[in-house]
């Protein structure tokens, strides 16, 4: 894989140690890519240490605390990254809102809360990326969204989450067709159950037998897939939902 020297990547949702977003930042920085990440409900001391860690890799790094449920979040983020680093050629929509809702508990607020982050902010970040890309001198761009396997099987008890995350797959496929003439690829990654900040020992013990490789996926597994899709080698891959789950067995 050729390195993408001194390009700029925007990654949402890198708020604490052990998260997928954090692993993506580290992986791309290790390839010489400048990093700008967003965070929320995070430890400011840790954020500062993490920025210093990225800077020690020899790249520039910016960060921004922002609530992605703000309708203007996408525009605020782009103004900030342009002021601090320049125009990004890589966008990774990793942040997500998730609470459990079955048919008994689903209500308008739950739907609105999920929609604001998982759909509205995601979609506006994508289209604003493309609009500004047209005005830049960049030759190629990469948009990578995150899904959670809604295309593959039901997720009972997660109605608001699956509805809004599932919409990302449809949006990704259609947007890829519109942006291909600009030289922007648009893909999505489903990493399957990943041992990040949300897993407990009980969940790990339940899931482990379903992984034929004998282990649960890690944030680093996700980051490697993202790094490939962001690379020059992936220029012919667009409109795809990549299910990188280590053979995870459902049912």
């Amino acid at each position: 894989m050729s390195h993408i020297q001194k390009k700029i990547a925007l990654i949402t949702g890198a708020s604490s140690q052990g998260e997928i977003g954090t692993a993506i930042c580290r992986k791309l920085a290790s390839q010489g890519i400048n990093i700008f990440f967003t965070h929320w409900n995070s430890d400011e001391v840790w954020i500062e240490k993490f920025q210093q860690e990225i800077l020690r890799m020899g790249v520039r790094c910016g960060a921004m605390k922002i609530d992605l449920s703000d309708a203007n979040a996408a525009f605020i983020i782009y103004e900030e990254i342009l002021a601090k680093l320049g125009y990004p050629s890589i966008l990774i929509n990793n942040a997500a809102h998730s609470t459990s809702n079955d048919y008994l508990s689903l209500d308008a607020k739950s739907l609105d809360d999920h929609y604001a982050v998982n759909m509205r902010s995601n979609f506006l970040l994508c289209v604003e990326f493309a609009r500004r890309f047209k005005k830049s001198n960049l030759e190629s761009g990469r948009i990578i969204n995150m899904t959670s396997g809604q295309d593959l099987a039901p997720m009972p008890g997660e109605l608001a989450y699956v509805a809004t995350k599932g919409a990302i797959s449809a949006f990704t496929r259609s947007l890829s067709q519109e942006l291909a003439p600009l030289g922007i690829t648009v893909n999505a990654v489903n990493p399957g159950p990943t041992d990040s900040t949300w897993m407990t020992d009980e969940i790990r013990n339940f899931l482990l037998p379903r992984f034929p490789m004998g282990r649960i996926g890690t944030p680093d597994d996700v980051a490697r897939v993202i790094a490939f899709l962001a690379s020059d080698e992936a220029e012919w891959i667009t409109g795809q939902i990549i299910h990188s789950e280590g053979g995870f067995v459902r049912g």
Side-chain angles (χ1 to χ4, degrees):
M1 185 186 302
S2 65
H3 292 349
I4 310 172
Q5 296 295 334
K6 302 310 177 186
K7 291 189 176 182
I8 300 169
L10 166 57
I11 303 103
T12 64
S15 297
S16 65
Q17 181 76 4
E19 289 186 340
I20 290 175
T22 305
I24 294 169
C25 291
R26 289 191 175 105
K27 182 64 175 178
L28 296 183
S30 75
Q31 296 187 336
I33 301 172
N34 297 314
I35 301 297
F36 186 93
F37 66 93
T38 71
H39 58 96
W40 185 244
N41 290 332
S42 48
D43 181 332
E44 293 295 337
V45 173
W46 180 85
I47 291 295
E48 178 61 29
K49 289 181 179 178
F50 182 57
Q51 282 189 267
Q52 292 302 315
E53 176 187 342
I54 298 297
L55 289 169
R56 287 194 294 271
M57 295 184 184
V59 300
R60 293 183 294 160
C61 181
M64 183 179 190
K65 181 178 182 179
I66 189 165
D67 182 357
L68 292 177
S69 67
D70 184 331
N72 295 311
F75 309 101
I76 295 169
I77 290 169
Y78 280 115
E79 290 303 310
E80 185 76 5
I81 190 173
L82 285 169
K84 287 187 175 180
L85 296 181
Y87 191 81
S89 61
I90 301 166
L91 167 64
I92 300 162
N93 280 309
N94 169 70
H97 178 80
S98 176
T99 59
S100 297
N101 299 102
D102 59 13
Y103 79 95
L104 293 172
S105 61
L106 187 65
D107 57 20
K109 185 179 186 306
S110 296
L111 286 169
D112 289 346
D113 289 347
H114 282 79
Y115 160 78
V117 176
N118 298 348
M119 293 174 62
R120 186 176 66 197
S121 72
N122 183 307
F123 299 167
L124 291 178
L125 281 164
C126 286
V127 297
E128 192 64 17
F129 178 96
R131 291 165 184 161
R132 295 177 186 237
F133 185 90
K134 289 187 67 174
K135 302 174 184 178
S136 73
N137 294 320
L138 297 170
E139 296 181 357
S140 63
R142 302 283 185 267
I143 296 176
I144 304 165
N145 298 318
M146 301 296 289
T147 65
S148 301
Q150 291 78 22
D151 296 355
L152 302 178
M155 293 177 64
E158 301 287 347
L159 294 178
Y161 181 73
V162 298
T164 53
K165 292 289 280 188
I168 293 173
S169 297
F171 186 84
T172 294
R173 293 187 181 101
S174 291
L175 186 66
S176 70
Q177 297 290 297
E178 293 192 19
L179 302 191
L182 301 181
I184 301 172
T185 65
V186 188
N187 295 289
V189 172
N190 159 36
T194 302
D195 195 350
S196 57
T197 53
W198 66 279
M199 273 200 187
T200 64
D201 286 341
E202 181 180 1
I203 294 172
R204 291 185 186 96
N205 292 333
F206 174 76
L207 291 175
L208 184 57
R210 301 187 178 199
F211 284 91
M213 291 190 177
R215 68 173 179 86
I216 297 173
T218 69
D220 287 339
D221 293 320
V222 187
R224 284 190 288 270
V225 177
I226 297 293
F228 170 69
L229 289 174
S231 73
D232 293 338
E233 280 79 1
E235 67 177 354
W236 202 238
I237 302 173
T238 194
Q240 303 302 305
I241 314 301
I242 309 297
H243 299 291
S244 177
E245 299 186 316
F248 179 65
V249 179
R250 288 176 167 77

